[in-house]
Amino acid sequence: MVKKKIKLRDVILSILAAGVFCALLAYYQYDTGTSHSYAISILERSAIYAVVAVSMNLLNGFTGLFSLGQAGFMAIGAYTTGILTIPVNMRQSVYYMNGIAPWLENLHLPMIPALLLGGLFAAAAAALVGIPVLRLKSDYLAIATLGFAEIIRALLAAPMMNTITNGSFGLNNIPGFQNIFQPMAIAAVCIVLMILLINSSYGRAFKAIREDDIAAEAMGINLFRHKELAFVISSFFTGVGGGMLAIFMRSIDTKTFQVTLTYNILLIVVLGGIGSVTGSIIGSLLINGSQEWLRFLDEPTTVPVLSSLFKPGFRMVIYSILLMVVVLFWRRGIMGTNEFTWDGLFGLFRRKKKTKKAGGEA
Amino acid sequence: MADNVLKVEHVTMQFGGVVAVNDLSMEVNKGEIVALIGPNGAGKTTAFNVITGVYAPTNGRVSFNGVPMIENHPQGKMKKNYLGEDPEGYPAKIVKTPDQITKLGIARTFQNIRLFKSLTVFDNVLIARHMRSKANVFSATFKVNAMEEKENREKTMELLKLVGLESSANEISSSLPYGKQRRLEIARALATQPTLLLLDEPAAGMNPQETDELSEFILQIKNQFDLTVLVIEHHMDLVMQISDRIYVLDFGKLIAQGTPEVIQNDPHVISAYLGVQDDE
């Protein structure tokens, strides 16, 4: 796209929106009158899922590589972060069954370096796996990466790894986030980095590969190198996201990283729009939020007809129906391949007003 | 020979039992416009795909400015052909992959237009400049290469002006009319800074007037960018108008070569195109 001038109005609106959002976070964090832990946990989880969803979008939406290995890379990031951040004096109680490997016993890192290392390990695994796997296309790549994720999960739970990963007992006592700003800031940095990448010359090359790999190659783009690059970078951020999830959940085991986790992320990506970063962020908020907002459906009600319906479990029925409706009516996701713009938002209102006017006149 | 840019030697390409290209040898000299013509299914596009590294030929060598792109594998053993016989010679080996070939300075367009469909016209051309960029993924992400990026954007706009598409720079490329898509493909190929331009049926689906404009355009870019051009074409008007030399393929075999005048009067060519007269 030819560069457009950034409007002053948009800058002001963005700063305002960010300010309001930060104020909201601060309110949730420091308002001691009522407990906001519920809202905080939804927002934190949304931020973490948004990082992973955007990184999956980088691969699936922008490079056109349909990979389903997210849970595996998240597991690598989560275990790395978890193992390294558990306080040293807690280790004996965490590893009380199997004992801890001696070299690991006093190895402790602060949160940020641990997250980075988790991302790097995930990226290294991706680099290795990518060499054979990225020769595959579409569904075959999805199956291969799905298999890889399961291998990682099995490896982490294997008895041979007991003194490192604590095997099937999982990890606990991982120190959580100190406040809501931490995960938000980390998520923001990750997503901004990915947006910068997508808008760079490399991002355009990724899109070219998605559009037509033969033409991309004829334009001098080394297919393997660029696919591998996208895979490694995406896995890095997936690993960081996994690490954040470990810090958020405070206790993890390999069951956390089953295929359903990947499917959840895929759901967010598809719902938000394959090829739209803001779509993934919105999708993450919606998916994580709606599961909670719909909770009233599980509670008994006195409304006559509904009382027979509103039972535990009904929430998931409605949730699934809503997903189907969204996919049926917004076939390309909420955002399609578009990004959020202020112009677009105002255009939406204007269009609605116009149609209302037209309807009134007729 | 210093001035021969592209050299194709004894290239054979078999798909199972079908010999798409049979022992094709040709050379393209610097500054020439060479046409490769032949009836449908004669193997022209296959020859193109071999030259640009998309297909590994069964046998043969291709080199560009003396750099081998496809070599005969000295130790390899040929696959048995469909009759179960051992063919002579050695199997060909791709030395340069398509992206490396583009880097060497060969750019191409496609017969059935292959644009980056959902991207804008501007991005389509800008992508082609990625290859020449010196930025690595970090410097590109953090915009350290802003100068280069700016230059690329300017060059892209220049190219779009050249092909008359500057007004549709922000349109999605697949929404362009057919003729403009062809022009965009040429602009994209030029953005890779080639010395040899391969055009695969650039006038397909164009009316006579558009074809005339296209031949002028090809001559113009040839002079402006100091190009050598190899073109596959069906429109005889265009071929006769612009080409210095012509190679004629029929059923994968080279049946004639020479200047337009020679080709026009060649009995083999006439029979390949018009069929042999009964009363001969």
Side-chain angles (χ1 to χ4, degrees):
Chain A
M1 194 87 81
V2 183
K3 264 194 184 157
K4 281 188 211 142
K5 275 225 166 120
I6 301 165
K7 281 191 207 160
L8 185 67
R9 182 202 71 185
D10 292 356
V11 175
I12 295 171
L13 279 174
S14 305
I15 292 171
L16 270 178
V20 168
F21 186 64
C22 286
L24 183 77
L25 295 187
Y27 168 70
Y28 280 146
Q29 182 68 41
Y30 298 114
D31 176 42
T32 44
T34 42
S35 170
H36 293 289
S37 61
Y38 208 50
I40 288 177
S41 83
I42 290 176
L43 281 172
E44 287 188 349
R45 188 183 275 272
S46 300
I48 293 162
Y49 274 52
V51 171
V52 185
V54 174
S55 74
M56 186 176 194
N57 215 337
L58 175 68
L59 202 58
N60 291 19
F62 289 94
T63 320
L65 297 171
F66 188 34
S67 149
L68 290 178
Q70 270 64 24
F73 296 117
M74 282 177 88
I76 296 176
Y79 267 85
T80 311
T81 311
I83 291 166
L84 290 172
T85 53
I86 294 175
V88 175
N89 54 7
M90 301 274 207
R91 300 232 165 140
Q92 290 310 328
S93 68
V94 174
Y95 287 88
Y96 70 98
M97 282 300 283
N98 309 306
I100 184 168
W103 57 271
L104 205 59
E105 209 173 342
N106 291 309
L107 202 63
H108 180 268
L109 279 181
M111 183 175 75
I112 300 288
L115 279 175
L116 277 177
L117 204 62
L120 286 177
F121 279 157
L128 272 179
V129 169
I131 293 168
V133 159
L134 289 177
R135 292 175 199 283
L136 303 170
K137 279 185 182 166
S138 64
D139 324 6
Y140 301 98
L141 175 65
I143 293 167
T145 44
L146 197 69
F148 166 75
E150 281 301 297
I151 291 172
I152 292 292
R153 214 166 64 79
L155 273 180
L156 289 171
M160 290 76 89
M161 300 282 278
N162 271 351
T163 55
I164 300 170
T165 64
N166 210 15
S168 52
F169 296 100
L171 300 172
N172 52 48
N173 277 318
I174 303 168
F177 291 114
Q178 276 139 27
N179 53 47
I180 191 170
F181 298 108
Q182 268 184 349
M184 288 290 164
I186 299 169
V189 168
C190 289
I191 291 171
V192 165
L193 282 177
M194 281 187 274
I195 292 175
L196 284 174
L197 173 71
I198 287 167
N199 290 331
S200 77
S201 159
Y202 280 84
R204 286 194 297 271
F206 294 161
K207 285 183 207 164
I209 293 173
R210 170 191 74 187
E211 293 293 315
D212 190 324
D213 51 353
I214 293 178
E217 206 172 16
M219 291 305 115
I221 294 168
N222 184 332
L223 286 188
F224 179 72
R225 201 177 137 241
H226 283 82
K227 282 181 180 179
E228 176 93 353
L229 201 61
F231 194 52
V232 166
I233 292 171
S234 164
S235 301
F236 173 81
F237 288 111
T238 308
V240 173
M244 288 167 77
L245 192 67
I247 297 171
F248 169 73
M249 295 174 70
R250 304 206 54 198
S251 73
I252 51 168
D253 60 37
T254 49
K255 284 203 188 67
T256 319
F257 302 99
Q258 275 167 334
V259 188
T260 40
L261 181 64
T262 305
Y263 292 155
N264 265 330
I265 310 282
L266 183 64
L267 190 64
I268 292 170
V269 172
V270 172
L271 195 75
I274 297 173
S276 167
V277 174
T278 37
S280 292
I281 300 169
I282 294 170
S284 172
L285 270 168
L286 279 181
I287 292 281
N288 285 302
S290 63
Q291 290 191 11
E292 305 302 324
W293 296 329
L294 294 173
R295 216 170 262 287
F296 71 92
L297 294 168
D298 280 357
E299 278 144 29
T301 168
T302 48
V303 183
V305 184
L306 296 179
S307 56
S308 57
L309 282 173
F310 279 32
K311 288 196 173 100
F314 187 59
R315 174 178 65 111
M316 286 319 282
V317 176
I318 296 293
Y319 173 72
S320 314
I321 290 173
L322 281 179
L323 284 181
M324 278 159 67
V325 168
V326 168
V327 173
L328 279 173
F329 288 97
W330 284 275
R331 205 156 297 172
R332 297 176 61 230
I334 294 168
M335 299 295 287
T337 52
N338 304 320
E339 295 297 346
F340 171 84
T341 53
W342 290 107
D343 279 339
L345 188 69
F346 290 130
L348 201 69
F349 287 125
R350 225 165 281 150
R351 215 181 310 146
K352 275 201 180 142
K353 264 184 203 160
K354 255 184 206 166
T355 48
K356 258 186 200 164
K357 246 186 207 168
E361 278 161 12
Chain B
M1 282 269 286
D3 62 345
N4 94 49
V5 177
L6 181 73
K7 199 168 182 183
V8 176
E9 294 168 89
H10 305 291
V11 163
T12 300
M13 177 82 222
Q14 275 179 305
F15 295 103
V18 180
V19 186
V21 175
N22 193 355
D23 197 27
L24 171 70
S25 296
M26 59 189 286
E27 353 187 292
V28 179
N29 300 327
K30 190 165 169 33
E32 268 187 326
I33 296 183
V34 174
L36 186 60
I37 65 171
N40 282 327
K44 306 181 297 289
T45 298
T46 306
F48 248 43
N49 282 338
V50 167
I51 293 169
T52 51
V54 178
Y55 295 151
T58 320
N59 200 353
R61 298 151 63 108
V62 180
S63 63
F64 177 63
N65 284 334
V67 180
M69 299 196 300
I70 286 158
E71 272 290 347
N72 270 334
H73 204 296
Q75 281 95 34
K77 199 170 179 315
M78 293 283 278
K79 268 193 221 155
K80 281 190 171 41
N81 68 13
Y82 63 104
L83 295 173
E85 297 161 345
D86 279 319
E88 277 181 35
Y90 298 106
K93 185 179 91 174
I94 288 193
V95 184
K96 299 280 180 204
T97 51
D99 57 291
Q100 290 169 325
I101 289 173
T102 311
K103 231 168 225 166
L104 286 177
I106 301 184
R108 71 171 292 184
T109 65
F110 294 88
Q111 183 181 1
N112 38 3
I113 304 174
R114 280 179 175 274
L115 288 171
F116 304 125
K117 288 196 185 68
S118 71
L119 303 183
T120 62
V121 169
F122 189 79
D123 280 350
N124 260 278
V125 179
L126 191 56
I127 282 166
R129 302 202 51 94
H130 172 67
M131 166 192 72
R132 304 274 177 212
S133 156
K134 287 179 198 74
N136 62 32
V137 67
F138 294 105
S139 64
T141 303
F142 295 109
K143 312 271 181 250
V144 184
N145 64 337
M147 283 294 285
E148 190 186 58
E149 182 85 6
K150 193 166 161 256
E151 193 193 313
N152 281 341
R153 284 174 182 276
E154 279 162 11
K155 280 265 162 60
T156 300
M157 213 56 211
E158 270 171 38
L159 282 169
L160 286 180
K161 275 194 188 118
L162 182 75
V163 297
L165 285 174
E166 77 269 31
S167 59
S168 22
N170 274 334
E171 281 174 39
I172 300 297
S173 64
S174 60
S175 72
L176 289 182
Y178 190 77
K180 285 187 176 176
Q181 291 196 13
R182 287 253 173 240
R183 279 167 171 267
L184 177 57
E185 248 205 337
I186 295 176
R188 191 179 65 172
L190 288 176
T192 63
Q193 296 171 316
T195 51
L196 173 64
L197 183 62
L198 308 185
L199 301 171
D200 197 347
E201 300 205 15
M206 286 187 178
N207 63 33
Q209 196 209 333
E210 284 172 328
T211 311
D212 271 353
E213 283 170 17
L214 181 75
S215 40
E216 265 170 46
F217 177 66
I218 293 174
L219 289 172
Q220 183 201 337
I221 55 172
K222 185 210 147 196
N223 291 328
Q224 190 174 340
F225 295 94
D226 196 17
L227 292 173
T228 308
V229 180
L230 175 61
V231 58
I232 291 181
E233 197 39 78
H234 273 303
H235 282 254
M236 281 307 141
D237 294 349
L238 181 132
V239 170
M240 295 304 165
Q241 218 173 334
I242 64 170
S243 43
D244 298 311
R245 285 189 303 121
I246 299 175
Y247 286 91
V248 190
L249 276 179
D250 191 22
F251 293 111
K253 255 190 130 52
L254 199 61
I255 56 169
Q257 55 174 311
T259 57
E261 295 76 42
V262 174
I263 295 298
Q264 266 169 329
N265 300 315
D266 190 297
H268 294 291
V269 179
I270 294 168
S271 71
Y273 267 88
L274 303 175
V276 186
Q277 278 175 320
D278 281 339
D279 56 4
E280 209 171 6

